[in-house]
């Protein structure tokens, strides 16, 4: 596990993670591994019937491995496509510096059929969907400023392409939330090897790089 897993942007299961210039490769890997670990744990708990609220459980797993994720802010969905709503919501609440890496990652994802399929297959469970957009900005040698945008929704019928198009009438019970954190890599160091070992030994099939 010596080679870094640190593309500039990637689909990580049901998350799109995108970095602005200046975030170190080692920091990018830490964030990829952390969010993959949290998603894997949340999916397993969901299958075992242990999850009441998906995003709350996911945030709690991140806290266990050293993240400080505050209570999120609720957003009001607009009439735009889900991808556009995510970018708009991020820009409105925390600014263009955060929304721009996500916008570029989504443009790349729309052209990447394998990454898009991975995202959609992981995000949807029956008629319920969950996904995250995670833009990351540099904040000194040991810190990264991050936003975590979460969307939860239900679909009235089986659907593909829900992120970039489709009939909005089939989407209902939709909730958008966003939280902003400072990720401290020095604090995370005590969890790093355990998290990476768990993710890599389990499988990296949930990670697909995006060319932005």
């Amino acid at each position: 596990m010596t080679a870094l897993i640190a593309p500039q942007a990637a689909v990580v299961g049901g998350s799109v993670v995108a970095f602005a210039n200046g975030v170190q490769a080692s920091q990018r890997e830490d964030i990829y591994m952390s969010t993959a670990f949290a998603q894997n744990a949340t999916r397993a708990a969901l299958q075992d019937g242990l999850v009441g609220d998906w995003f709350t459980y996911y945030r709690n797993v991140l806290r266990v491995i050293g993240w400080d994720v505050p209570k999120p802010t609720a957003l009001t969905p607009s009439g735009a496509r889900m991808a556009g709503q995510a970018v708009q919501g991020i820009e409105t609440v925390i600014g263009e510096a955060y929304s721009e890496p996500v916008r570029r990652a989504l443009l790349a994802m729309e052209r990447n059929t394998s990454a898009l399929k991975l995202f959609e297959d992981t995000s949807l469970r029956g008629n319920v969907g969950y996904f995250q957009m995670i833009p990351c900005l540099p904040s000194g040698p040991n810190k990264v400023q991050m936003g975590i945008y979460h969307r939860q929704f239900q679909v009235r019928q089986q659907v593909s392409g829900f992120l970039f198009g489709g009939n909005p009438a089939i989407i209902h019970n939709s909730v958008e939330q966003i939280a902003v954190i400072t990720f401290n890599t020095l604090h995370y160091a005590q969890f790093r090897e355990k998290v990476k070992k768990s993710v890599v030994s389990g499988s990296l099939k949930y990670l697909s790089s995006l060319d932005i």
Side-chain angles (χ1 to χ4, degrees):
M1 294 189 293
T2 56
L4 288 174
I5 302 166
Q8 196 70 22
V11 170
V12 185
S15 294
V16 176
V17 184
F19 294 88
N21 292 334
V23 180
Q24 300 171 19
S26 60
Q27 295 171 330
R28 297 198 301 269
E29 181 180 74
D30 285 346
I31 291 166
Y32 285 130
M33 294 299 105
S34 294
T35 193
F37 181 88
Q39 284 186 75
N40 291 345
T42 306
R43 276 194 296 269
L46 186 66
Q47 291 170 0
D48 292 339
L50 301 176
V51 174
D53 178 78
W54 198 100
F55 195 38
T56 297
Y57 194 96
Y58 173 84
R59 298 197 324 270
N60 286 339
V61 174
L62 290 175
R63 288 192 185 98
V64 168
I65 58 172
W67 291 41
D68 180 17
V69 186
K71 184 177 179 179
T73 299
L75 304 176
T76 302
S78 67
R81 298 183 303 174
M82 280 197 178
Q85 288 181 35
V87 173
Q88 180 181 343
I90 292 167
E91 182 170 337
T92 298
V93 177
I94 55 178
E96 187 176 359
Y98 290 89
S99 65
E100 182 59 19
V102 170
R103 187 190 67 80
R104 291 187 287 119
L106 289 173
L107 286 173
M109 181 177 164
E110 192 170 15
R111 301 189 298 265
N112 187 326
T113 55
S114 61
L116 184 56
K117 185 177 188 304
L118 166 63
F119 176 85
E120 292 191 346
D121 288 350
T122 312
S123 296
L124 282 176
R125 179 181 171 85
N127 69 333
V128 180
Y130 314 87
F131 67 82
Q132 287 75 231
M133 303 288 166
I134 306 177
C136 308
L137 277 63
S139 183
N142 301 309
K143 293 181 180 179
V144 180
Q145 289 291 123
M146 304 171 58
I148 301 181
Y149 167 97
H150 173 76
R151 182 77 177 255
Q152 179 174 328
F153 58 96
Q154 291 181 293
V155 293
R156 302 183 195 279
Q157 63 189 54
Q158 291 299 310
V159 62
S160 62
F162 64 83
L163 191 64
F164 295 104
N167 181 1
I170 68 173
I171 306 295
H172 65 114
N173 292 341
S174 185
V175 176
E176 289 181 277
Q177 301 174 80
I178 190 166
V180 182
I181 71 169
T182 299
F183 177 57
N184 188 320
T185 55
L186 287 180
H187 181 54
Y188 175 73
Q190 61 187 305
F191 307 99
R192 180 176 291 120
E193 289 307 313
K194 176 183 176 181
V195 168
K196 186 173 180 180
K197 182 177 180 180
S198 173
V199 172
V200 173
S201 63
S203 177
L204 285 176
K205 68 180 181 179
Y206 291 111
L207 192 145
S208 179
S209 298
L210 298 172
D211 183 11
I212 63 170

